[in-house]
PDB file of all heavy atoms in Angstrom:
ATOM      1  N   THR J  68     -10.623 -10.831  -1.640  1.00 98.00           N
ATOM      2  CA  THR J  68      -9.797 -12.000  -1.892  1.00 98.00           C
ATOM      3  C   THR J  68      -8.680 -12.068  -0.866  1.00 98.00           C
ATOM      4  O   THR J  68      -7.953 -11.095  -0.674  1.00 98.00           O
ATOM      5  CB  THR J  68      -9.191 -11.972  -3.302  1.00 98.00           C
ATOM      6  OG1 THR J  68     -10.227 -11.892  -4.280  1.00 98.00           O
ATOM      7  CG2 THR J  68      -8.371 -13.240  -3.547  1.00 98.00           C
ATOM      8  N   ILE J  69      -8.566 -13.211  -0.220  1.00 98.00           N
ATOM      9  CA  ILE J  69      -7.489 -13.417   0.736  1.00 98.00           C
ATOM     10  C   ILE J  69      -6.386 -14.222   0.063  1.00 98.00           C
ATOM     11  O   ILE J  69      -6.656 -15.115  -0.741  1.00 98.00           O
ATOM     12  CB  ILE J  69      -7.992 -14.129   2.012  1.00 98.00           C
ATOM     13  CG1 ILE J  69      -6.891 -14.173   3.078  1.00 98.00           C
ATOM     14  CG2 ILE J  69      -8.507 -15.530   1.703  1.00 98.00           C
ATOM     15  CD1 ILE J  69      -7.374 -14.676   4.442  1.00 98.00           C
ATOM     16  N   SER J  70      -5.156 -13.894   0.383  1.00 97.00           N
ATOM     17  CA  SER J  70      -4.025 -14.621  -0.159  1.00 97.00           C
ATOM     18  C   SER J  70      -2.890 -14.634   0.856  1.00 97.00           C
ATOM     19  O   SER J  70      -2.865 -13.817   1.781  1.00 97.00           O
ATOM     20  CB  SER J  70      -3.552 -14.013  -1.484  1.00 97.00           C
ATOM     21  OG  SER J  70      -3.132 -12.673  -1.309  1.00 97.00           O
ATOM     22  N   ARG J  71      -1.979 -15.563   0.684  1.00 95.00           N
ATOM     23  CA  ARG J  71      -0.848 -15.689   1.589  1.00 95.00           C
ATOM     24  C   ARG J  71       0.448 -15.808   0.820  1.00 95.00           C
ATOM     25  O   ARG J  71       0.493 -16.347  -0.289  1.00 95.00           O
ATOM     26  CB  ARG J  71      -1.012 -16.916   2.491  1.00 95.00           C
ATOM     27  CG  ARG J  71      -2.037 -16.781   3.592  1.00 95.00           C
ATOM     28  CD  ARG J  71      -2.190 -18.081   4.364  1.00 95.00           C
ATOM     29  NE  ARG J  71      -0.943 -18.501   4.997  1.00 95.00           N
ATOM     30  CZ  ARG J  71      -0.792 -19.607   5.708  1.00 95.00           C
ATOM     31  NH1 ARG J  71      -1.829 -20.421   5.876  1.00 95.00           N
ATOM     32  NH2 ARG J  71       0.379 -19.918   6.243  1.00 95.00           N
ATOM     33  N   ASP J  72       1.496 -15.287   1.426  1.00 93.00           N
ATOM     34  CA  ASP J  72       2.853 -15.491   0.968  1.00 93.00           C
ATOM     35  C   ASP J  72       3.548 -16.235   2.094  1.00 93.00           C
ATOM     36  O   ASP J  72       4.013 -15.634   3.059  1.00 93.00           O
ATOM     37  CB  ASP J  72       3.547 -14.165   0.669  1.00 93.00           C
ATOM     38  CG  ASP J  72       4.918 -14.357   0.057  1.00 93.00           C
ATOM     39  OD1 ASP J  72       5.572 -15.379   0.328  1.00 93.00           O
ATOM     40  OD2 ASP J  72       5.354 -13.468  -0.709  1.00 93.00           O
ATOM     41  N   ASN J  73       3.593 -17.543   1.972  1.00 88.00           N
ATOM     42  CA  ASN J  73       4.120 -18.366   3.049  1.00 88.00           C
ATOM     43  C   ASN J  73       5.600 -18.106   3.336  1.00 88.00           C
ATOM     44  O   ASN J  73       6.032 -18.163   4.485  1.00 88.00           O
ATOM     45  CB  ASN J  73       3.915 -19.847   2.727  1.00 88.00           C
ATOM     46  CG  ASN J  73       2.460 -20.236   2.690  1.00 88.00           C
ATOM     47  OD1 ASN J  73       1.621 -19.642   3.373  1.00 88.00           O
ATOM     48  ND2 ASN J  73       2.139 -21.255   1.898  1.00 88.00           N
ATOM     49  N   ALA J  74       6.362 -17.816   2.297  1.00 89.00           N
ATOM     50  CA  ALA J  74       7.784 -17.563   2.475  1.00 89.00           C
ATOM     51  C   ALA J  74       8.037 -16.312   3.305  1.00 89.00           C
ATOM     52  O   ALA J  74       9.041 -16.217   4.016  1.00 89.00           O
ATOM     53  CB  ALA J  74       8.483 -17.447   1.127  1.00 89.00           C
ATOM     54  N   LYS J  75       7.123 -15.346   3.224  1.00 92.00           N
ATOM     55  CA  LYS J  75       7.272 -14.090   3.952  1.00 92.00           C
ATOM     56  C   LYS J  75       6.406 -14.026   5.207  1.00 92.00           C
ATOM     57  O   LYS J  75       6.407 -13.008   5.892  1.00 92.00           O
ATOM     58  CB  LYS J  75       6.929 -12.915   3.048  1.00 92.00           C
ATOM     59  CG  LYS J  75       7.861 -12.752   1.858  1.00 92.00           C
ATOM     60  CD  LYS J  75       7.461 -11.546   1.018  1.00 92.00           C
ATOM     61  CE  LYS J  75       8.398 -11.350  -0.153  1.00 92.00           C
ATOM     62  NZ  LYS J  75       8.007 -10.173  -0.978  1.00 92.00           N
ATOM     63  N   ASN J  76       5.671 -15.094   5.489  1.00 94.00           N
ATOM     64  CA  ASN J  76       4.749 -15.118   6.628  1.00 94.00           C
ATOM     65  C   ASN J  76       3.776 -13.949   6.581  1.00 94.00           C
ATOM     66  O   ASN J  76       3.556 -13.257   7.580  1.00 94.00           O
ATOM     67  CB  ASN J  76       5.524 -15.118   7.952  1.00 94.00           C
ATOM     68  CG  ASN J  76       6.318 -16.384   8.169  1.00 94.00           C
ATOM     69  OD1 ASN J  76       5.878 -17.478   7.807  1.00 94.00           O
ATOM     70  ND2 ASN J  76       7.489 -16.247   8.768  1.00 94.00           N
ATOM     71  N   MET J  77       3.201 -13.743   5.417  1.00 96.00           N
ATOM     72  CA  MET J  77       2.282 -12.638   5.237  1.00 96.00           C
ATOM     73  C   MET J  77       0.931 -13.107   4.709  1.00 96.00           C
ATOM     74  O   MET J  77       0.827 -14.149   4.055  1.00 96.00           O
ATOM     75  CB  MET J  77       2.862 -11.597   4.272  1.00 96.00           C
ATOM     76  CG  MET J  77       4.134 -10.941   4.767  1.00 96.00           C
ATOM     77  SD  MET J  77       4.642  -9.524   3.758  1.00 96.00           S
ATOM     78  CE  MET J  77       3.359  -8.338   4.200  1.00 96.00           C
ATOM     79  N   VAL J  78      -0.080 -12.326   5.017  1.00 97.00           N
ATOM     80  CA  VAL J  78      -1.414 -12.558   4.502  1.00 97.00           C
ATOM     81  C   VAL J  78      -1.967 -11.223   4.018  1.00 97.00           C
ATOM     82  O   VAL J  78      -1.681 -10.169   4.601  1.00 97.00           O
ATOM     83  CB  VAL J  78      -2.340 -13.201   5.560  1.00 97.00           C
ATOM     84  CG1 VAL J  78      -2.544 -12.266   6.748  1.00 97.00           C
ATOM     85  CG2 VAL J  78      -3.668 -13.603   4.942  1.00 97.00           C
ATOM     86  N   TYR J  79      -2.753 -11.274   2.950  1.00 98.00           N
ATOM     87  CA  TYR J  79      -3.277 -10.070   2.339  1.00 98.00           C
ATOM     88  C   TYR J  79      -4.784 -10.177   2.205  1.00 98.00           C
ATOM     89  O   TYR J  79      -5.353 -11.260   2.136  1.00 98.00           O
ATOM     90  CB  TYR J  79      -2.674  -9.858   0.951  1.00 98.00           C
ATOM     91  CG  TYR J  79      -1.163  -9.887   0.919  1.00 98.00           C
ATOM     92  CD1 TYR J  79      -0.485 -11.085   0.699  1.00 98.00           C
ATOM     93  CD2 TYR J  79      -0.422  -8.729   1.106  1.00 98.00           C
ATOM     94  CE1 TYR J  79       0.904 -11.122   0.665  1.00 98.00           C
ATOM     95  CE2 TYR J  79       0.964  -8.758   1.073  1.00 98.00           C
ATOM     96  CZ  TYR J  79       1.620  -9.954   0.852  1.00 98.00           C
ATOM     97  OH  TYR J  79       2.997  -9.976   0.820  1.00 98.00           O
ATOM     98  N   LEU J  80      -5.412  -9.028   2.153  1.00 98.00           N
ATOM     99  CA  LEU J  80      -6.830  -8.961   1.861  1.00 98.00           C
ATOM    100  C   LEU J  80      -7.034  -7.907   0.787  1.00 98.00           C
ATOM    101  O   LEU J  80      -6.865  -6.716   1.038  1.00 98.00           O
ATOM    102  CB  LEU J  80      -7.651  -8.615   3.102  1.00 98.00           C
ATOM    103  CG  LEU J  80      -9.171  -8.651   2.908  1.00 98.00           C
ATOM    104  CD1 LEU J  80      -9.642 -10.087   2.688  1.00 98.00           C
ATOM    105  CD2 LEU J  80      -9.889  -8.035   4.104  1.00 98.00           C
ATOM    106  N   GLN J  81      -7.374  -8.361  -0.399  1.00 98.00           N
ATOM    107  CA  GLN J  81      -7.674  -7.461  -1.493  1.00 98.00           C
ATOM    108  C   GLN J  81      -9.155  -7.122  -1.435  1.00 98.00           C
ATOM    109  O   GLN J  81     -10.001  -8.011  -1.556  1.00 98.00           O
ATOM    110  CB  GLN J  81      -7.327  -8.106  -2.835  1.00 98.00           C
ATOM    111  CG  GLN J  81      -7.618  -7.240  -4.048  1.00 98.00           C
ATOM    112  CD  GLN J  81      -6.728  -6.022  -4.128  1.00 98.00           C
ATOM    113  OE1 GLN J  81      -5.537  -6.109  -3.836  1.00 98.00           O
ATOM    114  NE2 GLN J  81      -7.296  -4.887  -4.506  1.00 98.00           N
ATOM    115  N   MET J  82      -9.449  -5.857  -1.239  1.00 98.00           N
ATOM    116  CA  MET J  82     -10.821  -5.398  -1.105  1.00 98.00           C
ATOM    117  C   MET J  82     -11.220  -4.640  -2.363  1.00 98.00           C
ATOM    118  O   MET J  82     -10.794  -3.510  -2.584  1.00 98.00           O
ATOM    119  CB  MET J  82     -10.973  -4.504   0.128  1.00 98.00           C
ATOM    120  CG  MET J  82     -10.526  -5.167   1.427  1.00 98.00           C
ATOM    121  SD  MET J  82     -10.475  -4.027   2.844  1.00 98.00           S
ATOM    122  CE  MET J  82     -12.184  -3.508   2.951  1.00 98.00           C
ATOM    123  N   ASN J  83     -12.018  -5.274  -3.179  1.00 98.00           N
ATOM    124  CA  ASN J  83     -12.531  -4.647  -4.386  1.00 98.00           C
ATOM    125  C   ASN J  83     -13.989  -4.270  -4.191  1.00 98.00           C
ATOM    126  O   ASN J  83     -14.739  -4.969  -3.529  1.00 98.00           O
ATOM    127  CB  ASN J  83     -12.389  -5.585  -5.584  1.00 98.00           C
ATOM    128  CG  ASN J  83     -10.951  -5.861  -5.944  1.00 98.00           C
ATOM    129  OD1 ASN J  83     -10.067  -5.038  -5.718  1.00 98.00           O
ATOM    130  ND2 ASN J  83     -10.706  -7.036  -6.533  1.00 98.00           N
ATOM    131  N   SER J  84     -14.365  -3.168  -4.800  1.00 97.00           N
ATOM    132  CA  SER J  84     -15.734  -2.657  -4.693  1.00 97.00           C
ATOM    133  C   SER J  84     -16.223  -2.606  -3.255  1.00 97.00           C
ATOM    134  O   SER J  84     -17.294  -3.131  -2.928  1.00 97.00           O
ATOM    135  CB  SER J  84     -16.679  -3.512  -5.546  1.00 97.00           C
ATOM    136  OG  SER J  84     -16.301  -3.493  -6.901  1.00 97.00           O
TER     137      SER J  84
END
Side-chain angles (χ1 to χ4, degrees):
T68 302
I69 187 171
S70 61
R71 286 176 60 181
D72 186 331
N73 294 331
K75 296 181 179 180
N76 293 323
M77 297 190 70
V78 64
Y79 307 91
L80 185 69
Q81 180 67 40
M82 304 171 61
N83 294 331
S84 300

